[in-house]
Amino acid sequence: MGPQINMVCVQSILPENCKLFLIWMGMACLLGLGILAYFAGTTGSFPGELSASKWVQSWQFPWIDAVMRAISAPGLRIAGIPFSLLALPILFFMGWRKESVLILVSTVVASGIVSVIKEMVARPRPSVGLMQASEEFAGFAFPSGHVTHYVVYLGILGALLIWAIKPKLVRAFIILIIALALVGIGVSRLYLGAHQLGDVVGGYLLGSCVAVFSISLWRMWVSRFNIDSTGE
């Protein structure tokens, strides 16, 4: 049986006053996403977008193409859901049955929301004349589905692991790895020419909204479960 998530650990990391923090964080991300989506659908580009993309694409290293493609691969919709499904048997045998369902449902819901917003905003992909594209990307650009998937998947998984693992050094290592992965996916989408900076930021905001909402519901469930179990 793997490490179990318990209320003592959750409370030590997310005390009661963090409820307000999560609420305000979710509302701020939602508001930012709405404002960004409006301007993404009504303006051609955001200030500094093209410069940021050209700067990232100016990086010239023999290994960087393969690395950027590898980072982006798990975020593909055709690969993202199966990638999420891999968590099910692993977490199941760790004893985290409900946790695995939480991650799966959250990523599937996030994918659906991305599709709806893309159709509503209808922002085209970056022009080939302005940016180098590693391939022809289909569909609309805003928000980045890859970034959204990474934020939801890694954000929720990271929170669950941090709740279950007590050594502070291990927690810090998990946070570092997740932070590097989240930065890497955003940079890779710019490098490959799939998105502009506004699309990537939109993915971060949407992913944060879904992750915060899921984590908040999960924290409420864990609290309720522990209270009920102690009362038996």
Side-chain angles (χ1 to χ4, degrees):
M1 186 70 68
Q4 296 299 302
I5 297 174
N6 57 75
M7 196 55 200
V8 174
C9 187
V10 173
Q11 292 285 13
S12 65
I13 301 171
L14 284 176
E16 285 300 313
N17 57 8
C18 279
K19 288 182 179 180
L20 290 177
F21 172 77
L22 289 175
I23 292 174
W24 282 109
M25 180 180 175
M27 291 178 62
C29 290
L30 186 60
L31 177 62
L33 177 65
I35 294 174
L36 201 63
Y38 172 78
F39 286 106
T42 56
T43 61
S45 63
F46 296 100
E49 272 193 322
L50 185 58
S51 299
S53 297
K54 287 187 174 181
W55 176 66
V56 172
Q57 291 189 334
S58 69
W59 301 348
Q60 298 295 326
F61 303 101
W63 47 265
I64 197 167
D65 278 6
V67 170
M68 293 299 178
R69 291 178 183 276
I71 293 173
S72 284
L76 290 170
R77 180 172 300 182
I78 193 173
I81 301 302
F83 182 72
S84 299
L85 286 172
L86 290 176
L88 290 174
I90 296 174
L91 295 180
F92 183 87
F93 287 111
M94 289 176 62
W96 291 8
R97 297 171 179 82
K98 296 181 177 65
E99 290 86 342
S100 63
V101 175
L102 171 70
I103 294 174
L104 177 62
V105 171
S106 298
T107 52
V108 170
V109 169
S111 178
I113 296 175
V114 167
S115 298
V116 172
I117 295 179
K118 280 181 180 286
E119 293 297 325
M120 292 177 62
V121 176
R123 191 187 198 200
R125 294 281 182 173
S127 172
V128 178
L130 296 177
M131 293 172 54
Q132 302 175 19
S134 60
E135 61 185 87
E136 184 176 349
F137 297 98
F140 295 117
F142 184 93
S144 169
H146 284 68
V147 174
T148 302
H149 176 79
Y150 260 65
V151 174
V152 173
Y153 184 88
L154 293 180
I156 298 175
L157 180 60
L160 295 174
L161 289 173
I162 291 171
W163 286 350
I165 297 174
K166 294 182 179 180
K168 293 183 179 180
L169 186 60
V170 178
R171 290 178 185 172
F173 180 74
I174 292 174
I175 293 174
L176 175 61
I177 295 300
I178 290 176
L180 291 175
L182 293 181
V183 171
I185 185 59
V187 172
S188 73
R189 301 314 288 163
L190 297 178
Y191 180 86
L192 297 174
H195 293 284
Q196 297 188 69
L197 184 58
D199 308 325
V200 171
V201 174
Y204 283 126
L205 292 173
L206 175 57
S208 298
C209 287
V210 176
V212 167
F213 179 74
S214 299
I215 292 170
S216 298
L217 288 180
W218 183 251
R219 184 176 184 274
M220 292 169 58
W221 187 89
V222 170
S223 302
R224 177 72 175 266
F225 177 81
N226 276 267
I227 292 173
D228 289 344
S229 63
T230 57
E232 293 180 351

